[in-house]
């Protein structure tokens, strides 16, 4: 509260000083005008006219025009000086905005002295940092997207050319055909994921809503993905309350599939995944906790971005679409998603869906 009043009063004092000098300038202008009117006889005149240094009477109009000019010049100078001083921080912000408009997201503004201006400076710098981060992610998105599509296409083309040669035996042909099929499936999966994400990004209203058992849907998802977690000898612990949820069943199933798939991918061999579903105070709470490689702060900040991959050497584990899809579906369902993670200690994803 003390800091709040300090900021408010600092701006108030600055404005008061500015207005005070403007009023002084105006007062001098009015005073000069009144004295001029007196000398012109419009109002009462002084008892005796002014005299110069030789004792001669000065012309009243000339003397008071001189006084009026001094008042105008002094008032104008004071007003111009303090208005420039008051508007100088705003000019700095305007110049910085022009630089941002030209694509320079590294520009920073450092305003001191007035609370509101310091707050504006802080907010502006935060904005440029976010814009710079978005620009970096956009570039990474284009590069990753191009790479993910180009790699299987180049592979298919290369092995197809090899198959045109007549000096290959049957075993080599089968091997090359198997690679072509695998790469084709990879390309088809990537295309499907991109189309699915695009579909849900444009979706605003959930249709085909009906009540269903959310806990049973999660169990079915775990059974569906048994080959993946069984292959890595992962133990899955369940603690699921009976929950009736009113929503789109196909839509919500995408959440559990992608979160469980993500937890399996980044779990160590023989690891443990804990899954909890409960009725909370603010909604239905789903928690999935793995004991895998975890994430640092930078990865956590970008984990829901499309095609973001924290480790390019692990790119074959996925395409960076699953968590983006999860976040979008949760948003469509008016829910919330959060993540907690530490390197080599695993990750905890928490989803809260509102009661229907």
């Amino acid at each position: 509260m003390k800091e709040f009043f300090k900021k408010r009063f600092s701006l108030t004092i600055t404005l008061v000083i500015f207005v005070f000098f403007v009023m002084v300038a105006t007062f001098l202008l009015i005073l000069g005008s009144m004295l001029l009117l007196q000398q012109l006889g419009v109002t009462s005149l002084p008892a005796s006219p002014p005299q110069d240094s030789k004792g001669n009477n000065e012309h009243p109009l000339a003397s008071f025009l001189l006084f009026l000019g001094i008042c105008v010049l002094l008032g104008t100078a004071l007003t111009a000086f303090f208005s420039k001083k008051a508007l100088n921080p705003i000019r700095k912000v305007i110049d910085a905005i022009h630089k941002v408009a030209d694509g320079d997201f590294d520009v920073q503004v450092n305003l001191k002295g007035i609370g509101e201006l310091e707050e504006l400076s802080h907010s502006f710098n935060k904005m440029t940092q976010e814009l710079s981060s978005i620009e970096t992610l956009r570039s990474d998105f284009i590069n990753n997207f191009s790479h993910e599509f180009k790699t299987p296409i180049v592979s298919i083309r290369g092995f197809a050319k090899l198959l045109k040669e007549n000096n290959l035996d049957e075993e080599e042909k089968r091997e090359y055909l198997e690679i072509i099929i695998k790469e084709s499936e990879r390309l088809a999966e990537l295309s499907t994921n991109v189309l699915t994400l695009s579909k849900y990004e444009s979706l605003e209203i959930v249709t085909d809503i009906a009540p269903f058992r959310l806990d049973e849907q999660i169990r079915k998802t775990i059974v569906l993905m048994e080959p993946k977690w069984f292959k890595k000898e992962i133990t899955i612990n369940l603690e699921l309350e009976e929950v009736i949820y009113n929503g789109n069943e196909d839509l919500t199933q995408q959440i559990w599939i992608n979160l469980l798939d993500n937890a399996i991918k980044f779990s160590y061999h023989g690891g443990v995944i804990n899954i909890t579903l409960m009725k909370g105070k603010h909604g239905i709470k789903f928690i999935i906790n793995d004991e895998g490689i975890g994430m640092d702060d930078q990865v956590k900040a970008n984990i829901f971005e499309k095609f973001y991959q924290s480790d390019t050497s692990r790119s074959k584990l996925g395409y960076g679409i699953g968590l983006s899809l999860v976040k979008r579906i949760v948003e469509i369902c008016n829910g919330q998603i959060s993540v907690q993670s530490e390197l080599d200690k695993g990750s905890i994803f928490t989803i809260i869906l509102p009661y229907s």
Side-chain angles (χ1 to χ4, degrees):
M1 183 64 68
K2 182 179 179 181
E3 185 67 22
F4 172 80
F5 281 109
K6 181 180 178 181
K7 289 182 177 181
R8 295 299 176 188
F9 280 124
S10 62
L11 180 61
T12 302
I13 292 171
T14 304
L15 293 176
V16 166
I17 292 173
F18 173 70
V19 173
F20 171 75
F21 281 105
V22 173
M23 290 177 63
V24 168
T26 305
F27 172 79
L28 292 174
L29 181 61
I30 295 173
L31 177 61
S33 300
M34 291 178 61
L35 293 175
L36 176 61
L37 291 175
Q38 285 181 346
Q39 293 299 317
L40 292 176
V42 178
T43 59
S44 59
L45 297 173
S48 60
Q51 296 180 341
D52 58 16
S53 57
K54 297 180 179 180
N56 299 320
N57 291 337
E58 293 182 351
H59 194 283
L61 180 59
S63 61
F64 281 95
L65 280 176
L66 178 61
F67 180 74
L68 177 62
I70 294 173
C71 293
V72 171
L73 289 175
L74 182 59
T76 303
L78 289 173
T79 304
F81 175 78
F82 286 101
S83 62
K84 182 179 180 180
K85 198 75 173 177
L87 295 177
N88 190 49
I90 307 300
R91 291 192 184 94
K92 290 183 179 179
V93 175
I94 293 173
D95 291 340
I97 290 174
H98 287 313
K99 291 181 181 178
V100 172
D102 292 334
D104 182 8
F105 300 128
D106 295 326
V107 61
Q108 297 284 295
V109 176
N110 188 19
L111 304 179
K112 299 293 184 180
I114 300 176
E116 280 76 3
L117 294 180
E118 290 183 4
E119 185 176 347
L120 173 62
S121 175
H122 175 74
S123 299
F124 181 88
N125 293 338
K126 184 177 180 181
M127 178 194 71
T128 55
Q129 290 173 1
E130 291 294 330
L131 288 174
S132 179
S133 176
I134 292 172
E135 178 65 18
T136 301
L137 288 172
R138 186 188 68 84
S139 300
D140 290 344
F141 168 78
I142 294 173
N143 293 334
N144 291 334
F145 186 83
S146 301
H147 173 75
E148 294 295 345
F149 263 89
K150 182 179 179 181
T151 301
I153 292 174
V154 171
S155 179
I156 292 171
R157 183 180 62 184
F159 286 104
K161 287 181 178 180
L162 290 174
L163 286 172
K164 289 179 65 178
E165 300 178 3
N166 296 324
N167 57 350
L168 298 177
D169 56 32
E170 291 299 321
E171 183 178 352
E172 288 178 325
K173 288 182 179 179
R174 284 195 299 270
E175 181 183 355
Y176 294 161
L177 285 172
E178 187 66 30
I179 294 174
I180 290 175
I181 292 171
K182 186 177 180 180
E183 291 298 300
S184 300
E185 291 174 348
R186 180 185 173 194
L187 190 60
E189 182 185 358
L190 177 58
S191 301
T192 301
N193 289 337
V194 172
L195 290 173
T196 302
L197 180 60
S198 177
K199 172 186 173 182
Y200 289 137
E201 281 185 332
S202 61
L203 182 65
E204 296 295 338
I205 301 176
V206 180
T207 57
D208 300 326
I209 295 177
F212 62 92
R213 285 274 299 274
L214 204 59
D215 55 311
E216 286 299 323
Q217 185 184 57
I218 294 172
R219 288 190 179 93
K220 290 178 182 178
T221 302
I222 295 171
V223 173
L224 179 67
M225 302 191 69
E226 180 180 3
K228 291 188 175 183
W229 54 263
F230 182 79
K231 183 179 180 180
K232 295 184 72 172
E233 298 183 356
I234 294 174
T235 301
I236 297 182
N237 298 324
L238 296 179
E239 188 176 344
L240 307 177
E241 293 184 10
E242 182 177 328
V243 176
I244 303 295
Y245 179 70
N246 194 40
N248 186 305
E249 194 166 355
D250 293 334
L251 197 65
T252 54
Q253 188 173 31
Q254 291 289 332
I255 299 175
W256 323 130
I257 288 175
N258 283 283
L259 284 179
L260 182 57
D261 184 60
N262 188 76
I264 294 171
K265 285 176 183 176
F266 297 104
S267 288
Y268 295 115
H269 191 89
V272 177
I273 296 176
N274 300 305
I275 299 177
T276 304
L277 180 70
M278 67 180 72
K279 297 176 182 177
K281 181 179 180 181
H282 302 290
I284 301 167
K285 181 180 286 188
F286 172 85
I287 303 172
I288 181 167
N289 178 16
D290 65 74
E291 299 177 352
I293 63 174
M295 297 176 281
D296 57 23
D297 292 338
Q298 182 180 357
V299 175
K300 282 191 292 184
N302 300 299
I303 194 66
F304 296 110
E305 299 294 336
K306 291 179 290 186
F307 286 92
Y308 178 79
Q309 294 173 344
S310 59
D311 187 355
T312 55
S313 65
R314 294 180 173 269
S315 59
K316 291 186 178 180
L317 291 175
Y319 309 108
I321 297 178
L323 292 179
S324 301
L325 188 61
V326 169
K327 183 181 180 183
R328 179 56 189 157
I329 294 174
V330 171
E331 290 174 348
I332 294 172
C333 297
N334 298 317
Q336 299 176 352
I337 183 171
S338 60
V339 58
Q340 297 174 280
S341 184
E342 291 185 42
L343 287 174
D344 297 323
K345 293 185 178 180
S347 303
I348 303 174
F349 286 87
T350 303
I351 291 177
I352 298 178
L353 297 174
Y355 292 113
S356 54

